[in-house]
Amino acid sequence: MQKKNRLTSPEMENLWTHYIRETLSVCVNKYMLHTIQDPEIHSLFQTALRYSLKHIDALKALFKKEKFPTPKGFTEEDVNLEAPPLFTDVLCLKSLYMMSTHGHNEMSLSFTTSLRPDIIDFYYQCNLDAMEIYKKTKDLLVTKQLYQQPPTYITPNKVEMIEHYHYVTDVFGKQVSFLV
């Protein structure tokens, strides 16, 4: 009989933290769904909510399998769905975009610090879900002309080597001399 691999400390910490994040996301997304008017943004939040609920179910199953108490997390007691809108639809969309970025970063780290195959598989799928939300929110921001594009550059005609550093100054604007 093969010995069962126990969760490592980073795996348990990642799962616990992920559970807290996902339960918070459920509260936020349900509130946003209650207030958002734009159908495209509303649809994205429905997808995000569906993924959060899926992740929570998987996390609960992992906690049960490990005989580890499920964290309390955030609940419907922590959100007032009847509260008037606090944010514009655009701010909600931008928030989902930023949260998908941070969520993906966290899940990527969890993926790379996991050892057990079932935990690796879980975070692999979570990363795919986060990338989908990220891509869809970014695409919608671009479509609605709400995405701040980074600056472009001018393509040089030739390669030039820097011979003098006359453009370098210290914090007070005094020119700094370099020995090259």
Side-chain angles (χ1 to χ4, degrees):
M1 179 186 273
Q2 188 175 2
K3 182 181 159 189
K4 178 183 167 193
N5 288 339
R6 294 187 62 202
L7 289 171
T8 64
S9 296
E11 288 170 335
M12 183 49 70
E13 183 273 332
N14 290 334
L15 293 170
W16 192 93
T17 303
H18 190 171
Y19 185 84
I20 301 300
R21 263 196 330 267
E22 291 291 4
T23 57
L24 176 60
S25 291
V26 167
C27 292
V28 170
N29 291 342
K30 282 184 177 181
Y31 174 75
M32 298 298 191
L33 284 168
H34 188 73
T35 64
I36 291 172
Q37 302 297 312
D38 183 298
E40 292 173 302
I41 299 172
H42 194 273
S43 177
L44 279 175
F45 272 88
Q46 285 176 320
T47 302
L49 178 60
R50 188 173 64 252
Y51 284 148
S52 287
L53 292 171
K54 179 179 83 168
H55 296 167
I56 288 169
D57 287 344
L59 288 161
K60 284 180 178 178
L62 280 165
F63 289 132
K64 184 176 182 179
K65 178 178 159 185
E66 296 302 314
K67 296 179 176 58
F68 192 90
T70 301
K72 182 177 186 309
F74 291 87
T75 68
E76 53 194 39
E77 296 171 2
D78 296 310
V79 63
N80 178 3
L81 297 179
E82 301 306 317
L86 297 173
F87 312 108
T88 65
D89 289 4
V90 169
L91 185 63
C92 293
L93 177 60
K94 288 182 176 185
S95 172
L96 184 59
Y97 171 73
M98 291 305 299
M99 291 301 102
S100 68
T101 303
H102 296 300
H104 178 63
N105 288 339
E106 291 295 324
M107 287 181 256
S108 293
L109 184 60
S110 297
F111 176 80
T112 61
T113 58
S114 296
L115 187 60
R116 270 186 25 185
D118 59 337
I119 307 300
I120 292 170
D121 291 344
F122 171 68
Y123 280 113
Y124 181 83
Q125 184 59 53
C126 288
N127 273 293
L128 292 175
D129 296 344
M131 286 189 294
E132 180 184 343
I133 296 293
Y134 173 82
K135 183 179 180 331
K136 286 181 176 182
T137 55
K138 188 174 189 176
D139 289 348
L140 189 55
L141 285 166
V142 169
T143 299
K144 291 183 176 288
Q145 298 180 341
L146 299 169
Y147 185 77
Q148 182 68 42
Q149 181 177 326
T152 57
Y153 64 92
I154 299 170
T155 305
N157 295 327
K158 63 181 180 174
V159 174
E160 293 184 40
M161 300 303 292
I162 297 174
E163 295 178 18
H164 302 284
Y165 294 93
H166 62 278
Y167 57 87
V168 179
T169 61
D170 64 16
V171 293
F172 301 108
K174 181 180 173 196
Q175 190 170 8
V176 179
S177 59
F178 285 96
L179 297 176
V180 182

